[in-house]
Amino acid sequence: MEPVMEFFAEMSWWMWLLGVLLLIVIYDIFINKKHTILHNFPLVGHFRYMLESIGPELRQYIVAGNREELPFNRIERGWVYASSKNENNYEGFGTDQDIYEVNYVFINNAVIPFTMPKDHINREDPYFLACAKVMGEFHKRKRPYRPASVINVSAMSFGSLSARAIEALNIGCKKAYAFHNTGEGGLSPYHKKGADVVFQIGTGYFGVRNPDGSFSMERLVKLVEENREIRAIEIKLSQGAKPGKGGVLPASKITKEISEIRHVPIGKDVLSPPSHSTFSNMQELVDFIEEIAEQTGLPVGLKAAIGKLDEWEELASIMAETNRGPDFLSIDGGEGGTGAAPPSFADHVALPWTYGFTDVYKVFQARELTNRIVFIGSAKLGFPAKAAMAFAMGADCISVAREAMLSIGCIQAQSCHTNTCPTGVATQNRWLQAGINVKNKSERVNYYFTNFKKELLEITHACGYEHPCQFTMDDVEINLGDRFIAKTLAQTFMYNKTKVPFDSVATLAGCPNLGGSYRKGEETDVKEVETEDTSVSEQ
């Protein structure tokens, strides 16, 4: 035995390396039964799999051009990063976009822009931009709600996002007077840091469910009474990432905290079914909406990705005949995507936002219902020019999910479904999420939202308007290809948006139903910076 030990002790490092490589070769050839490449090409095959595993990172940082990546290209991410860090988000030497490509959007500026009077509220606070409509006003809800920001955080649950990410988003929303949608995962302590909250009810009724998984009105009423920051209720019918598909929360992911928040048992898989058990048709849905509104006093709305229109036609008819129904509609696009989904769903089920929104808007416009409803757009609209287009089409607010994630450090690693998010945003791994500095990231959310609103206002003024709600379908044109060149949205989608009743921005600021605890000029803390480096690599 002693000679053997002496032999190993005298072995050089390269002999150890050769020994390890020899063992790998033996394993690949004689033991491996799963990978043909490794069997036929031992050692070399491992390099193939290694390069494949880091392929997305190589393409993202080395190979891909500034406008090539999806879902958000380098220029888009760079604008969010720079805005959220309050750095220079400008670009020089003209656009590098192909402005003749199909679906390219043009915003028609006015010859004489809108000039703010000396006493205009946006001179004192250039970041105030409230919704022009009030949720629940038509139906006379007990607690109507006017969002104090036209850009807000879309539905992302605690559990999908980390505790620190949710907390940073909520504090940032408070500073920017925005609302924060809980997602279907229930109201967590991290949603209760001061921002307005829209509580979402999904098919699993998490947070407001009975032990058998059915909906509990008693628990919902108690939740609303104990948490006055809840300003509206959203019933999720479907979402852009996986419309019409349920999900399973594995037992391994259910911590004691998640169990208490969602009212689900520990140690058991929890089913989130594809459809609601509380209603099975449009009439029952309307009854459900009205019951919730009556019991809680809050505006109640729907969230859905759009496909077939026959049920929307039925809903609109019921609303026109009975003056009952949702106070707001959150229209998600098929390109939405914070939820993990099979590629067949993510890529092909539900219409893109522009098609889905215009289809639904026309259904309600035909019955003169559009001014009863606050329309919220959600699907890659977190950029001022895209938001301007959405407002021209009839949106009253937009909600952002992935853009908000980018603002707190997401690098588009696309590992949200693996629990290995390297930035700690979309993981429950305590080590990974420990890197999120809540104070710093909440400031970044605030800066992103306020700089977004400032730039959207500048576009609005350039087009001759005081508020984005004044945009019309003729203010935006879209490229349809070489044959038709460009047409206005009105010509393209064959309707004109209903004029939104609007007096002035000052009237919005003085509204008694204005959310966000808004006080003119007090909490806004953004200084315009135009000189810092905006490198995407510094996240």
Side-chain angles (χ1 to χ4, degrees):
M1 187 67 180
E2 192 172 325
V4 175
M5 297 300 294
E6 288 179 0
F7 173 77
F8 282 119
E10 293 175 1
M11 284 179 63
S12 300
W13 66 268
W14 58 269
M15 296 174 68
W16 281 104
L17 179 61
L18 285 176
V20 171
L21 294 177
L22 180 61
L23 289 174
I24 293 174
V25 169
I26 293 172
Y27 178 85
D28 286 343
I29 295 175
F30 297 104
I31 300 176
N32 163 51
K33 303 296 182 184
K34 294 182 178 180
H35 299 286
T36 304
I37 292 293
L38 295 181
H39 176 274
N40 295 343
F41 302 95
L43 292 184
V44 175
H46 288 281
F47 286 100
R48 185 262 182 196
Y49 288 113
M50 182 187 71
L51 291 172
E52 182 184 48
S53 69
I54 62 173
E57 288 79 6
L58 290 174
R59 290 189 292 272
Q60 183 178 37
Y61 295 109
I62 299 174
V63 179
N66 286 342
R67 299 282 185 183
E68 290 180 350
E69 296 171 276
L70 292 173
F72 296 95
N73 63 47
R74 195 185 305 265
I75 296 298
E76 290 172 327
R77 298 198 317 275
W79 184 86
V80 175
Y81 294 146
S83 298
S84 65
K85 289 185 283 189
N86 204 31
E87 295 179 349
N88 177 12
N89 60 8
Y90 287 24
E91 64 179 39
F93 212 64
T95 182
D96 61 356
Q97 291 261 49
D98 177 8
I99 62 175
Y100 297 102
E101 69 178 353
V102 176
N103 291 331
Y104 194 85
V105 170
F106 304 93
I107 300 172
N108 295 325
N109 59 296
V111 176
I112 302 176
F114 173 80
T115 302
M116 291 185 290
K118 291 183 179 180
D119 60 348
H120 196 279
I121 186 173
N122 286 133
R123 286 193 181 274
E124 183 177 350
D125 182 358
Y127 314 105
F128 175 71
L129 188 55
C131 180
K133 292 180 184 175
V134 179
M135 294 180 181
E137 185 175 51
F138 176 83
H139 294 119
K140 296 181 172 56
R141 307 301 188 200
K142 296 172 187 174
R143 292 179 60 197
Y145 175 53
R146 185 193 298 274
S149 171
V150 296
I151 177 173
N152 305 281
V153 171
S154 190
M156 294 183 286
S157 302
F158 168 60
S160 297
L161 265 57
S162 68
R164 286 175 177 260
I166 293 290
E167 186 174 358
L169 288 171
N170 194 266
I171 296 173
C173 285
K174 176 187 176 183
K175 294 178 179 181
Y177 313 115
F179 68 67
H180 187 182
N181 192 308
T182 63
E184 66 176 317
L187 182 70
S188 73
Y190 315 106
H191 288 106
K192 298 190 285 186
K193 301 298 179 180
D196 287 346
V197 168
V198 173
F199 181 78
Q200 188 182 83
I201 301 174
T203 57
Y205 305 120
F206 297 126
V208 289
R209 58 189 265 148
N210 293 310
D212 64 354
S214 61
F215 173 72
S216 171
M217 181 64 75
E218 181 181 354
R219 287 190 169 182
L220 176 62
V221 171
K222 182 180 178 182
L223 189 76
V224 171
E225 289 176 349
E226 293 178 350
N227 299 278
R228 298 293 290 180
E229 62 266 36
I230 300 178
R231 299 300 306 270
I233 307 292
E234 181 178 84
I235 301 169
K236 188 183 87 167
L237 303 179
S238 59
Q239 66 184 78
K242 46 182 177 181
K245 186 183 188 308
V248 176
L249 182 64
S252 60
K253 287 189 175 182
I254 303 176
T255 63
K256 184 175 184 294
E257 185 177 37
I258 290 176
S259 171
E260 293 173 350
I261 291 168
R262 298 197 178 199
H263 297 164
V264 296
I266 295 178
K268 292 183 179 179
D269 291 347
V270 177
L271 174 67
S272 181
S275 60
H276 284 263
S277 60
T278 309
F279 54 87
S280 59
N281 56 54
M282 286 294 113
Q283 184 59 64
E284 291 177 358
L285 172 58
V286 170
D287 294 339
F288 185 51
I289 289 170
E290 291 298 325
E291 185 182 4
I292 291 176
E294 177 62 29
Q295 294 286 332
T296 65
L298 298 178
V300 181
L302 303 174
K303 176 179 181 176
I306 307 304
K308 296 179 180 180
L309 294 178
D310 50 347
E311 289 168 310
W312 292 104
E313 296 270 4
E314 183 182 354
L315 174 62
S317 296
I318 293 171
M319 291 178 65
E321 293 167 5
T322 66
N323 288 334
R324 304 165 77 236
D327 301 293
F328 64 94
L329 293 178
S330 295
I331 305 300
D332 203 2
E335 64 269 51
T338 56
S344 55
F345 271 81
D347 296 343
H348 299 289
V349 182
L351 294 171
W353 186 83
T354 50
Y355 305 152
F357 182 87
T358 53
D359 284 352
V360 168
Y361 189 91
K362 286 191 283 187
V363 166
F364 288 92
Q365 186 184 52
R367 294 163 177 80
E368 299 182 349
L369 299 171
T370 49
N371 277 337
R372 300 184 189 182
I373 301 169
V374 173
F375 288 93
I376 302 174
S378 176
K380 297 177 68 175
L381 299 175
F383 304 91
K386 289 185 177 180
M389 179 193 71
F391 276 90
M393 295 167 71
D396 302 297
C397 285
I398 66 166
S399 289
V400 295
R402 287 171 292 181
E403 297 93 321
M405 292 168 66
L406 291 172
S407 76
I408 58 174
C410 167
I411 60 170
Q412 195 170 278
Q414 296 181 290
S415 59
C416 311
H417 59 299
T418 65
N419 205 36
T420 59
C421 171
T423 61
V425 174
T427 178
Q428 297 308 302
N429 183 298
R430 291 186 179 277
W431 171 260
L432 292 173
Q433 61 177 290
I436 296 179
N437 182 314
V438 173
K439 185 175 185 293
N440 172 264
K441 299 304 184 184
S442 65
E443 287 294 338
R444 288 179 59 161
V445 176
N446 175 37
Y447 287 147
Y448 165 55
F449 277 9
T450 49
N451 281 315
F452 173 97
K453 288 183 282 188
K454 180 175 181 291
E455 193 165 319
L456 176 58
L457 269 175
E458 289 171 345
I459 292 175
T460 303
H461 295 169
C463 294
Y465 302 125
E466 183 182 6
H467 190 280
C469 74
Q470 296 172 284
F471 277 113
T472 72
M473 299 285 279
D474 292 322
D475 291 318
V476 180
E477 296 187 23
I478 186 169
N479 258 352
L480 299 178
D482 293 339
R483 181 179 177 187
F484 298 106
I485 311 300
K487 287 187 176 182
T488 66
L489 293 177
Q491 293 171 317
T492 303
F493 295 109
M494 305 298 291
Y495 76 96
N496 281 291
K497 162 190 161 185
T498 304
K499 184 177 180 180
V500 177
F502 173 74
D503 179 40
S504 69
V505 171
T507 301
L508 304 185
C511 175
N513 301 310
L514 184 67
S517 301
Y518 179 75
R519 297 293 181 269
K520 184 174 62 175
E522 285 183 7
E523 293 186 38
T524 303
D525 180 25
V526 178
K527 297 178 181 178
E528 188 170 2
V529 179
E530 299 183 2
T531 56
E532 274 88 358
D533 175 44
T534 60
S535 173
V536 174
S537 62
E538 295 183 7
Q539 299 321 313

